Amino acid sequence: MGFLPDSFPAHSASIILTLISGIAVLFLRLRASNRPTTMRKIIIPPIGMSTGFLMFVVPV
């Protein structure tokens, strides 16, 4: 009986993938912070979400 469980390779792969994706998100957020926010970036997402919400409020 070893020190590590039998499922260690699967767990280590998921941990490594999580760390890589977290670093990628951090890198993208740092790059995005160099550009100023425009009015379009603020207005477009709520408009898109409201039209998606209307699909459930007023079904065809």
Side-chain angles (χ1 to χ4, degrees):
M1 181 172 205
F3 177 69
L4 297 173
D6 292 334
S7 63
F8 182 72
H11 289 294
S12 61
S14 66
I15 290 170
I16 291 170
L17 186 64
T18 302
L19 289 174
I20 290 172
S21 61
I23 291 170
V25 168
L26 183 64
F27 178 72
L28 289 173
R29 294 297 298 159
L30 286 173
R31 285 194 52 179
S33 67
N34 292 334
R35 294 186 298 264
T37 303
T38 63
M39 186 62 82
R40 182 176 181 206
K41 287 182 183 179
I42 296 172
I43 298 296
I44 295 293
I47 292 173
M49 287 184 281
S50 65
T51 57
F53 178 71
L54 287 175
M55 178 176 67
F56 295 105
V57 173
V58 185
V60 176

